[in-house]
Amino acid sequence: MRSVKYLIAAGAASLLSSAAFAADMPSIMPAPQQYYAPPAQDFGGWYLRGDIGMTNSKGTLHDNLYDTLPAGTSLQQLGEGFTGGMSYGLGAGYQFNSWFRADVTGEYRSRVGFSGTDFTMFPNGGGPLSDVYAGGYTSWVGLINAYADLGTWWCVTPFVGVGVGGANLRTTGLQDTGTLIRGGVVQSASYFAQGASTTNLAWAVHAGLAYKVNNNFTIELAYRYLDMGTAVHGFGSSFDGTNAGPSSFQFRDLTSQDLRIGVRWTCCEVETPPPAPLIRKG
């Protein structure tokens, strides 16, 4: 009976030692590798945009009669300038990668007023003649733009860009009030040129900062230099009906330096499907 107890005790000790040895041995089957989804991209896809801005137009008033002034005539153009205005734009574009995007934009630019004075001294005692002008213009501008994003720091991305397209310029009429002093006699006359429309090539240069609120919404603060060409005036005449005919007045070299606030909403992103799960046999 005692020998049976010894046998049972010896068998139990052998099983325990075998289990301990097996626990110390390395596993023959490697643990399955865990799958980690790739990080989501924070760029790419179509976007819509909207912009509102302040415009600061520059340009010169040109009268074709300037080209036929007698030799020795002195002409001074004083105080010429435009009032400020507003611009309102919409567009759509595509973010190709982390640094390059492009869009198409269209905008309405509100009326800006023009004022200025010509002071002319003719040779041989003819004059002086002063002309006081009041006018203005509105415009529609469409551009195709390309931008380079220059890196992102704390969700802020500086960018630069260029654009090319067209500008439709509509003058709103020009009044010319002339005063001539001849032989001590003051003579005054008024002339009015109607508005007219013209379409020119336009181009722009952009620079600004973009702040990414989230992956789908970005706010921009941007500066833009815009060149729109020449705006013409239509039929004109003096207030008494004389001097009737096509107007000789133009706004030449119209440019604008704009400060704009814009928003971009990313939509319709192209999602890359995750890779197929790893399947192991065994």
Side-chain angles (χ1 to χ4, degrees), residues 141-163:
V141 177
L143 295 172
I144 300 173
N145 307 285
Y147 309 89
D149 294 329
L150 306 179
T152 300
W153 295 267
W154 301 285
C155 299
V156 176
T157 303
F159 65 86
V160 295
V162 295

Side-chain angles (χ1 to χ4, degrees), residues 33 36 47 79 83 90 108 121 125 128 132 142 158 208 234 259 276:
Q33 295 181 354
Y36 297 95
Y47 63 84
T83 60
L90 295 172
Y108 169 74
M121 288 292 295
V132 179
L259 184 63

Side-chain angles (χ1 to χ4, degrees), residues 55-211:
T55 68
N56 182 21
S57 295
K58 301 291 184 183
T60 59
L61 177 67
H62 183 81
D63 185 347
N64 290 338
L65 297 178
Y66 296 160
D67 303 329
T68 60
L69 291 174
T73 301
S74 172
L75 172 65
Q76 292 180 296
Q77 294 180 292
L78 307 174
E80 289 190 351
F82 292 90
T83 60
M86 298 293 294
S87 67
Y88 311 91
L90 295 172
Y94 191 82
Q95 183 89 40
F96 291 90
N97 53 41
S98 62
W99 66 271
F100 179 71
R101 56 189 168 89
D103 56 37
V104 178
T105 58
E107 69 184 82
Y108 169 74
R109 299 168 63 85
S110 69
R111 182 185 186 277
V112 294
F114 173 85
S115 61
T117 301
D118 283 354
F119 189 76
T120 310
M121 288 292 295
F122 296 97
N124 304 320
L129 170 65
S130 68
D131 291 273
V132 179
Y133 301 105
Y137 79 97
T138 62
S139 58
W140 290 86
V141 177
L143 295 172
I144 300 173
N145 307 285
Y147 309 89
D149 294 329
L150 306 179
T152 300
W153 295 267
W154 301 285
C155 299
V156 176
T157 303
F159 65 86
V160 295
V162 295
V164 65
N168 178 261
L169 307 172
R170 175 75 187 186
T171 53
T172 57
L174 181 73
Q175 181 174 332
D176 172 11
T177 302
T179 302
L180 174 67
I181 301 176
R182 178 176 294 172
V185 179
V186 178
Q187 302 174 342
S188 296
S190 294
Y191 177 88
F192 183 79
Q194 298 176 1
S197 176
T198 186
T199 301
N200 305 317
L201 175 71
W203 60 270
V205 177
H206 312 266
L209 300 172
Y211 177 76

